[in-house]
Amino acid sequence: MPAASGTHTAGRPLRLPRSARRKQLLEAAQEVFVAQGYHAAAMDDIAERAGVSKPVLYQHFPGKLELYLALLDTHSDAIVAKVREAMAATTDNKQRVEGAMRAYFEFVDHESEAFRLVFESDLVNDPAVRERVERVERGCVEAITETIMVDTGVSRDFAELLASGLCGAAETAARFWLAGGRRVPKDEAEQLIAALSWRGIASFPITGRDGGPA
């Protein structure tokens, strides 16, 4: 059924500002991609869901892949920004770990469709899609690496590996939590994984001569 709200007035198409129209088209596309998967989705379906003609859709996006990539860019930037905000919000490292876990779980909880698009894409073998998924992973790791270096004294190589493990634990746990039907309350799930991660990361001492753990 077309998402007609805000798209027609008295039988005539409502002319939205370009940014508002783009947002509307992306929202409709997300619904279709999540419901049908990339390969089964058609531009006709997306135009119908948005309540616009195909020419209007093509004015903003030249093809289905470009539309899909625009969605990935939007949500990729969002999750990386959440992790960066968690690092900048406090100087208490325990709270930073808790904030990083919360960033993943909140993204999964409130943006579950977006999370599936980024991390469970059926187009993951496409180079452009894979590049964006890897950009998310790199961005989240980079957001945490500097903090680990400063506060543990380990080298960048060690810090990046630790940050990768921290992000991997958060992503995997959040995906498992979502797939399992959110059986554990979100706050408790965040605290559980944060406690596990903190107990590991907090044990790292100042570096030895090789730049690794002493």
Side-chain angles (χ1 to χ4, degrees), residues 61-91:
F61 301 99
K64 186 169 68 168
L65 179 59
E66 288 78 11
L67 182 51
Y68 192 81
L69 294 177
L71 272 173
L72 290 185
D73 286 337
T74 298
H75 296 310
S76 296
D77 292 344
I79 182 60
V80 173
K82 285 180 180 292
V83 174
R84 291 190 180 280
E85 288 168 9
M87 295 299 103
T90 178
T91 57

Side-chain angles (χ1 to χ4, degrees), residues 40-113:
M43 293 292 270
D44 284 326
D45 300 327
I46 295 167
E48 182 180 357
R49 180 65 62 94
V52 301
S53 65
K54 279 182 67 177
V56 169
L57 179 57
Y58 280 111
Q59 285 173 10
H60 292 264
F61 301 99
K64 186 169 68 168
L65 179 59
E66 288 78 11
L67 182 51
Y68 192 81
L69 294 177
L71 272 173
L72 290 185
D73 286 337
T74 298
H75 296 310
S76 296
D77 292 344
I79 182 60
V80 173
K82 285 180 180 292
V83 174
R84 291 190 180 280
E85 288 168 9
M87 295 299 103
T90 178
T91 57
D92 184 303
N93 289 330
K94 184 177 181 180
Q95 291 180 17
R96 281 171 166 164
V97 171
E98 292 170 351
M101 296 303 146
R102 189 178 306 113
Y104 277 92
F105 275 88
E106 287 186 351
F107 187 64
V108 167
D109 191 35
H110 299 298
E111 303 287 345
S112 58
E113 290 186 352

Side-chain angles (χ1 to χ4, degrees), residues 27-189:
E27 289 173 351
Q30 179 167 305
E31 293 176 6
V32 173
F33 284 137
V34 170
Q36 301 180 19
Y38 176 84
H39 295 292
M43 293 292 270
D44 284 326
D45 300 327
I46 295 167
E48 182 180 357
R49 180 65 62 94
V52 301
S53 65
K54 279 182 67 177
V56 169
L57 179 57
Y58 280 111
Q59 285 173 10
H60 292 264
F61 301 99
K64 186 169 68 168
L65 179 59
E66 288 78 11
L67 182 51
Y68 192 81
L69 294 177
L71 272 173
L72 290 185
D73 286 337
T74 298
H75 296 310
S76 296
D77 292 344
I79 182 60
V80 173
K82 285 180 180 292
V83 174
R84 291 190 180 280
E85 288 168 9
M87 295 299 103
T90 178
T91 57
D92 184 303
N93 289 330
K94 184 177 181 180
Q95 291 180 17
R96 281 171 166 164
V97 171
E98 292 170 351
M101 296 303 146
R102 189 178 306 113
Y104 277 92
F105 275 88
E106 287 186 351
F107 187 64
V108 167
D109 191 35
H110 299 298
E111 303 287 345
S112 58
E113 290 186 352
F115 187 86
R116 290 188 174 101
L117 277 175
V118 175
F119 292 107
E120 299 176 2
S121 171
D122 61 347
L123 199 62
V124 72
N125 290 327
D126 181 275
V129 173
R130 185 63 207 163
E131 188 276 331
R132 282 158 173 81
V133 174
E134 290 174 351
R135 188 195 307 165
V136 174
E137 296 168 352
R138 288 196 308 271
C140 291
V141 167
E142 289 169 3
I144 298 173
T145 294
E146 291 295 335
T147 297
I148 292 177
M149 287 176 64
V150 169
D151 294 315
T152 67
V154 298
S155 68
R156 175 169 292 277
D157 288 343
F158 278 82
E160 286 178 341
L161 188 58
L162 288 170
S164 175
L166 188 65
C167 292
E171 179 193 332
T172 300
R175 289 176 67 175
F176 184 85
W177 176 77
L178 178 64
R182 300 177 171 92
R183 293 194 301 270
V184 177
K186 183 170 74 71
D187 289 348
E188 294 180 29

